[in-house]
Amino acid sequence: MTDSGIENLLKEERLFPPSQAFASTATGTADLYEEAERDFVGYWTRQAKERLTWFKEPTEGLDDSNAPFFTWFADGELNISYNCLDRHLDQGGDKIAYHWVGEPGDTRTITYQELSDEVNKFANGLRSLGVEKGDRVAIYMGMVPELPIAMLACSRIGAPHSVIFGGFSADSIVDRVNDQGAKLLITCDGAWRRGTVVPLKDNCDTAMEGTPSIEHCIVVDRTHSDVSMEQGRDIWWHELVADQSTDCDPEVMNAEDLLYILYTSGTTAKPKGIMHTTGGYLTGAATTHALVFDIKPDTDVYWCAADIGWVTGHTYIVYGPLTNHTTSVMYEGTPDFPDKDRLWSIVEEYNVSIFYTAPTAIRAFMKWGVEFPDGYDLSSLRLLGTVGEPINPAAWMWYRDHIGPVDAPIVDTWWQTETGCIMISPLPGVTATKPGSATKALPGISADVVDIEGNSVPLGSGGFLTITKPWPSMLRSIYGDDERYVSTYWSRYPGVYFPGDGAKIDEDGYLWILGRVDDVMNISGHRISTMEVESALVSHDAVAEAAVVGATDDLTGQAIAAFVTLRGTFEESDDLHEELRNHVATKIGAIAKPKSIIFTPDLPKTRSGKIMRRLLRDISDHRTLGDVTTLANAEIVQAIADQAEAQQAKE
Ligand code: PRX
């Protein structure tokens, strides 16, 4: 758990109520809290019926008879792509779904009608390859329009998709594809990143040597790279869709049919395949998208600057905005290419009114300097959002002062891959915000902060965040591992969902998220497990043992600090330091590269052999060392601390 949240809580007294003008037209109003308080199932059922188009309306709300395997709207039938596309076409087919901006500067404007045509053609293409309802499809792509098209096409034919972040390595693809037994893989020849091409198809080729379930690989020609295409297995996207019809009957799905699997890091080396189903997920996505972002579909240009490889992109680039008939911006590249003003030039050009990004990005903007946003007219912005990690008040205030007009509400949204949609956040026309606090649970969501025994803590104290009632877009299980689902989320406090975060509740009942309380790190708003990085390190010949902790980092929230013991014949060197960092990138992906590696003859351990990561965290954060009396090898701690200091001095 980081200290920054506690500091926020101690110091923060600023309160920013919504302006009168904003409140008077707000989509989300205070009475929603009362409605949901009276009958939370009734509230969600109303949202489900009003916001979605059902082939068969549900008569059931929540079924908790087999907890924690909850179901929502279980007798309802619908199709997600129908909700995102078909039902908008009569009145609004010409409306722009995506203003897409490519990193090299090319652009595409895609209307709802065009999106629908492309989705139908690709869905027919998938069917022609034998993909049927229930078959799993893995997707490993850059931020190109074909990515949402692929997801929607899968949802149209009832094939659950599993998007694998394009920054992950071939090994990560193998693990995820094999865990779910995916039948088909969709990729691009490459992805643009800071002017160079990330070789996505090459990574897939390496991965497919170890994924026997994959029958075909469909490849989008994005970068015109020279890639190898295996006859019979690999198919170009444009060739597959060339002769397909723009009509493809949507599969009638049960509300509880699987929509997607998205892998996220847990406390072991094996990522968890989080399962989201159809009716409840879309209800949560559409409702929170409309309320938290105050969506006015006729006038807003909305931009969630996340990657679709993470849950934020699933819910708030694809499913929420399209269900709500919103016009979005989608950008392919990084914020600093070709220069650090890229995002602001896009905001100005498309008159973006709602902008949603991560605190890490905001801290980078701060570091780069106000001259970049100051050079642009950002007056179209009327609401700002953040997600993924605690935001320090300084970054919050900078966001307010330099990006939005100062009276634009900032919504700090807490949620997880598992929750499917935003859980704790201001309602922008109702909630007075405090910099650094995600404020309160949304209508229909019940959150509490409890002590180790599960008792609610009094206002003004800290403890563990819990969600005390089921909600429609909750995960249904971990793919293939119901037991892990129960033990990870539902065992610490029986009957209550445990997200793994620490939190404080202040005198006004505002929630302050303090960070993870387990061995999961949060790097730039992305979850990485210490165990995953440790097992990547020990898979290198030179490494005997490794321990990894999240060290506090001004820019990325946390940074990966590794402590490594080498095998007998290996000697530490700068080259080996680099080699090990790159080895982790090869095993997992560049985001998991340790920032620092300290070589040590031993790791601090208890007498029973358990590594004391707490002490390594103290060392990484330059804190006074905690209690070492329970250690079997207390002397090693000071030796590591000295080495860390020497390494820092060298840098
Ligand atoms: O620790 C919390 C942090 O991110 C974790 C969820 O990570 P992930 O599943 O990758 O989803 C990220 C995007 C939804 C949480 O357990 N987190 C997320 N949002 C916030 C946050 N911490 C503080 N404030 C937030 N707004």
Side-chain angles (χ1 to χ4, degrees):
M1 201 186 292
T2 63
D3 291 334
S4 57
I6 298 169
E7 280 165 28
N8 296 349
L9 184 57
L10 292 177
K11 288 193 213 131
E12 195 49 68
E13 282 170 4
R14 288 169 288 204
L15 190 69
F16 297 100
S19 72
Q20 276 271 304
F22 194 100
S24 65
T25 62
T27 309
T29 47
D31 54 319
L32 295 177
Y33 292 100
E34 290 155 34
E35 179 194 348
E37 187 64 34
R38 278 195 306 275
D39 173 8
F40 78 105
V41 177
Y43 166 80
W44 283 118
T45 306
R46 181 175 74 77
Q47 299 293 347
K49 290 184 179 172
E50 288 179 7
R51 294 189 185 277
L52 308 187
T53 304
W54 297 80
F55 298 143
K56 178 171 173 258
E57 270 213 350
T59 61
E60 295 172 27
L62 166 69
D63 182 350
D64 56 4
S65 57
N66 188 27
F69 298 93
F70 301 95
T71 65
W72 283 85
F73 318 127
D75 63 343
E77 290 174 355
L78 73 167
N79 180 280
I80 293 238
S81 76
Y82 184 93
N83 274 275
C84 291
L85 301 167
D86 306 46
R87 65 178 183 147
H88 303 314
L89 299 183
D90 278 351
Q91 302 295 323
D94 293 342
K95 184 170 176 175
I96 292 164
Y98 293 113
H99 291 289
W100 178 81
V101 182
E103 195 190 78
D106 49 340
T107 59
R108 281 168 72 179
T109 305
I110 303 166
T111 65
Y112 273 84
Q113 183 64 57
E114 287 162 346
L115 190 63
S116 170
D117 290 349
E118 294 306 318
V119 167
N120 279 267
K121 284 201 279 185
F122 190 64
N124 281 325
L126 290 175
R127 278 191 176 148
S128 76
L129 293 173
V131 180
E132 291 174 2
K133 182 174 174 176
D135 288 339
R136 273 85 57 214
V137 173
I139 301 179
Y140 178 70
M141 298 170 84
M143 285 284 287
V144 290
E146 286 80 1
L147 172 50
I149 291 169
M151 294 161 76
L152 291 161
C154 287
S155 78
R156 192 157 192 90
I157 64 171
H161 60 68
S162 181
V163 181
I164 301 166
F165 172 57
F168 280 137
S169 66
D171 280 7
S172 296
I173 304 174
V174 173
D175 293 346
R176 287 159 176 77
V177 165
N178 289 343
D179 185 67
Q180 60 181 289
K183 188 168 181 175
L184 192 118
L185 179 59
I186 309 172
T187 191
C188 301
D189 56 347
W192 287 112
R193 194 172 164 79
R194 291 203 179 86
T196 62
V197 173
V198 181
L200 297 183
K201 175 62 165 64
D202 290 356
N203 291 348
C204 288
D205 288 342
T206 309
M208 282 188 288
E209 287 168 20
T211 56
S213 59
I214 296 289
E215 294 173 8
H216 292 290
C217 177
I218 303 174
V219 187
V220 174
D221 181 11
R222 167 60 187 139
T223 55
H224 308 310
S225 305
D226 196 11
V227 294
S228 76
M229 297 290 282
E230 189 181 297
Q231 184 86 30
R233 184 194 67 185
D234 300 345
I235 304 157
W236 287 109
W237 175 297
H238 55 270
E239 290 177 6
L240 178 70
V241 299
D243 297 322
Q244 299 295 346
S245 145
T246 53
D247 280 322
C248 175
D249 270 351
E251 199 72 47
V252 175
M253 303 298 285
N254 180 272
E256 282 298 331
D257 281 336
L258 184 61
L259 170 66
Y260 68 76
I261 305 167
L262 185 58
Y263 286 84
T264 189
S265 295
T267 51
T268 70
K270 188 177 184 306
K272 304 177 282 194
I274 302 301
M275 296 169 70
H276 282 293
T277 57
T278 303
Y281 172 76
L282 202 63
T283 301
T287 307
T288 54
H289 178 253
L291 299 180
V292 173
F293 299 108
D294 189 55
I295 295 296
K296 313 287 185 220
D298 292 338
T299 47
D300 275 322
V301 178
Y302 158 89
W303 185 9
C304 167
D307 191 292
I308 294 178
W310 309 105
V311 74
T312 306
H314 280 57
T315 305
Y316 298 110
I317 298 179
V318 183
Y319 292 116
L322 295 175
T323 303
N324 291 334
H325 203 193
T326 309
T327 295
S328 292
V329 166
M330 179 177 165
Y331 170 54
E332 180 182 34
T334 57
D336 54 351
F337 188 86
D339 206 347
K340 299 182 178 70
D341 60 354
R342 187 68 189 269
L343 302 190
W344 318 125
S345 77
I346 296 173
V347 168
E348 180 181 282
E349 172 153 9
Y350 293 96
N351 285 309
V352 171
S353 55
I354 299 166
F355 182 71
Y356 188 36
T357 193
T360 290
I362 299 167
R363 289 191 293 266
F365 305 150
M366 283 173 80
K367 200 175 115 193
W368 295 340
V370 291
E371 60 271 29
F372 295 103
D374 278 359
Y376 292 89
D377 177 5
L378 306 181
S379 59
S380 54
L381 288 168
R382 64 178 197 89
L383 185 143
L384 303 173
T386 74
V387 59
E389 42 180 331
I391 181 164
N392 42 315
W396 197 102
M397 290 304 293
W398 188 93
Y399 201 26
R400 176 177 186 272
D401 291 341
H402 296 287
I403 304 303
V406 287
D407 58 352
I410 297 181
V411 289
D412 173 357
T413 63
W414 178 90
W415 60 297
Q416 306 180 294
T417 307
E418 291 87 340
T419 68
C421 74
I422 297 169
M423 308 287 281
I424 301 171
S425 160
L427 269 190
V430 178
T431 316
T433 51
K434 299 185 184 189
S437 167
T439 72
K440 299 187 178 184
L442 287 175
I445 303 296
S446 303
D448 195 9
V449 181
V450 301
D451 63 19
I452 201 121
E453 262 111 46
N455 305 310
S456 301
V457 301
L459 296 183
S461 341
F464 302 99
L465 182 66
T466 53
I467 306 295
T468 56
K469 287 180 188 150
W471 64 104
S473 67
M474 63 197 302
L475 78 164
R476 296 304 192 262
S477 190
I478 293 172
Y479 194 80
D481 202 345
D482 286 346
E483 222 170 279
R484 191 175 178 193
Y485 166 68
V486 176
S487 66
T488 307
Y489 305 109
W490 301 97
S491 300
R492 182 142 177 175
Y493 304 112
V496 169
Y497 175 80
F498 176 61
D501 279 14
K504 283 211 159 200
I505 185 160
D506 73 13
E507 302 294 346
D508 301 323
Y510 277 53
L511 296 163
W512 300 74
I513 311 297
L514 303 178
R516 304 288 309 183
V517 292
D518 51 16
D519 286 330
V520 175
M521 298 172 286
N522 189 329
I523 316 295
S524 303
H526 301 309
R527 271 155 77 172
I528 312 277
S529 138
T530 54
M531 287 285 289
E532 258 177 287
V533 181
E534 286 167 8
S535 72
L537 283 167
V538 296
S539 72
H540 189 284
D541 286 347
V543 178
E545 203 171 28
V548 161
V549 298
T552 305
D553 187 276
D554 285 349
L555 199 61
T556 56
Q558 286 188 313
I560 301 176
F563 299 83
V564 163
T565 307
L566 294 175
R567 283 181 196 277
T569 52
F570 290 89
E571 282 186 18
E572 60 179 88
S573 66
D574 289 348
D575 285 351
L576 185 58
H577 185 269
E578 266 326 281
E579 191 178 321
L580 291 180
R581 291 181 66 234
N582 291 331
H583 181 71
V584 176
T586 312
K587 285 277 156 195
I588 305 174
I591 49 163
K593 234 182 186 182
K595 186 170 179 192
S596 65
I597 297 180
I598 289 183
F599 294 106
T600 163
D602 204 357
L603 293 165
K605 288 186 192 142
T606 60
R607 289 190 181 85
S608 60
K610 193 171 172 289
I611 297 172
M612 291 287 279
R613 288 198 184 72
R614 176 173 57 76
L615 291 169
L616 297 174
R617 267 194 294 270
D618 288 344
I619 291 171
S620 302
D621 288 349
H622 312 291
R623 276 193 299 264
T624 317
L625 296 175
D627 182 15
V628 294
T629 51
T630 55
L631 289 186
N633 53 352
E635 69 294 343
I636 197 69
V637 179
Q638 195 51 52
I640 300 174
D642 292 346
Q643 199 159 340
E645 216 161 286
Q647 182 158 324
Q648 212 195 9
K650 207 165 93 186
E651 281 161 14

